[in-house]
């Protein structure tokens, strides 16, 4: 199998910034990055990145209608897969957003922030969507954090834009958490899958480190 990373293009991802970030960290290595809407290229790749933005129902519909859904599900059984933003939410069973079923790869639900009337520590009201930088606490399981966090300090800052958040059924599938009116899971992981609610491609050096670690991760 060639060292190809496929960034899945089903018409709904933040493709340009995600693919440029992955290409940046792959430069000078033997890894080739392809942005593709072809199921056969997703199947042939060594690892897969699933971006997403907008409404989850639209993302799920486009993934299905593009013919890429089955290729993504196959990839999730056998090769490293990284989801980003709505690409993370799609991995779970179900979203409250328009009552939308997900891919069912990680047990759990996607819920909307309910922050009406709550005040932030500075006295201002919480806004939905959360938009901007926030700190990520890396989750430890068995005393260790996920290898995708290698070289990234705990409580580093990452960039978020979202109104919905993941609530995995099994706490062991939480790889990172953030506080915004409540503590919520902002990174999930299971076997060969890792995904983030925040945007690594908009998160400067620490975000690039996650993509770099993903390119060399052997789950």
């Amino acid at each position: 199998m060639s060292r190809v990373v496929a960034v899945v293009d089903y018409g709904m991802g933040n493709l340009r910034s995600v693919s440029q970030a992955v290409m940046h960290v792959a430069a000078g290595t033997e890894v080739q990055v392809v942005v593709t809407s072809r199921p056969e290229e997703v199947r042939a790749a060594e690892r897969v990145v699933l971006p997403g933005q907008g409404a989850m129902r639209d993302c799920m519909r486009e993934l299905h209608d593009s013919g890429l859904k089955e290729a993504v599900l196959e990839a999730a059984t056998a090769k490293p897969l990284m989801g980003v933003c709505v690409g993370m939410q799609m991995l779970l069973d179900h979203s409250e957003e328009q009552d939308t079923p997900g891919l069912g790869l990680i047990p759990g639900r996607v819920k909307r922030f309910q922050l009406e009337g709550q005040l932030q520590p500075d006295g201002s009201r919480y806004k939905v969507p959360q938009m901007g930088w926030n700190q990520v606490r890396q989750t430890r399981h068995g005393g260790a954090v996920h290898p995708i966090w290698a070289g990234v300090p705990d409580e580093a800052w990452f960039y978020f834009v979202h109104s919905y958040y993941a609530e995995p059924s099994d706490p062991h599938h939480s790889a990172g958490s953030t506080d915004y009116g409540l503590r919520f899971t902002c990174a999930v992981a299971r076997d060969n899958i890792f995904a983030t609610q925040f945007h690594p491609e908009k998160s400067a050096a620490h975000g690039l480190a996650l993509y770099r670690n993903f390119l060399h991760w052997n789950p």
Side-chain angles (χ1 to χ4, degrees):
M1 186 181 289
S2 60
R3 296 220 62 200
V4 173
V5 178
V7 180
V8 183
D9 176 9
Y10 58 101
M12 292 296 295
N14 194 8
L15 282 169
R16 180 172 171 81
S17 57
V18 171
S19 60
Q20 285 189 331
V22 179
M23 289 174 183
H24 178 78
V25 298
T29 74
E30 71 276 23
V31 178
Q32 177 188 356
V33 181
V34 296
V35 178
T36 183
S37 57
R38 299 171 61 191
E40 61 270 24
E41 290 191 326
V42 174
R43 291 186 171 98
E46 181 195 67
R47 52 195 70 215
V48 174
V49 176
L50 179 66
Q53 64 181 19
M56 181 161 150
R57 174 178 284 184
D58 295 339
C59 288
M60 289 298 300
R61 183 189 65 242
E62 293 301 318
L63 186 67
H64 178 272
D65 291 352
S66 67
L68 287 159
K69 180 179 177 181
E70 291 306 317
V72 169
L73 287 171
E74 288 174 27
T77 66
K79 58 186 71 172
L81 183 146
M82 184 169 179
V84 179
C85 194
V86 180
M88 182 199 81
Q89 297 178 8
M90 293 164 70
L91 302 178
L92 278 76
D93 292 322
H94 188 272
S95 175
E96 289 182 352
E97 186 175 18
Q98 298 177 295
D99 192 25
T100 304
L103 295 171
L105 294 167
I106 294 179
R109 298 175 64 82
V110 178
K111 303 176 73 171
R112 193 180 194 280
F113 283 121
Q114 301 292 341
L115 301 175
E116 291 76 8
Q118 292 190 45
L119 299 181
Q120 301 194 62
D122 66 2
S124 63
R125 291 185 180 274
Y126 281 102
K127 295 180 180 179
V128 178
Q130 176 185 201
M131 186 178 299
W133 295 83
N134 206 337
Q135 288 178 284
V136 173
R137 182 179 289 108
Q138 299 168 14
T139 308
R140 292 186 175 272
H141 298 296
V145 299
H146 196 281
I148 295 285
W149 293 121
V152 177
D154 195 18
E155 300 191 357
W157 295 79
F158 291 88
Y159 190 81
F160 290 81
V161 183
H162 65 122
S163 301
Y164 294 79
Y165 63 93
E167 189 176 80
S169 302
D170 185 341
H172 285 89
H173 292 152
S174 177
S177 64
T178 295
D179 291 314
Y180 192 70
L182 75 166
R183 182 168 298 172
F184 68 93
T185 291
C186 66
V188 297
R190 177 187 175 202
D191 303 326
N192 54 302
I193 297 170
F194 184 90
T196 66
Q197 178 63 62
F198 55 82
H199 289 272
E201 70 282 357
K202 297 180 181 178
S203 299
H206 294 324
L208 291 176
L210 296 189
Y211 283 132
R212 185 177 296 110
N213 290 339
F214 174 71
L215 293 188
H216 304 287
W217 175 42
N218 292 303

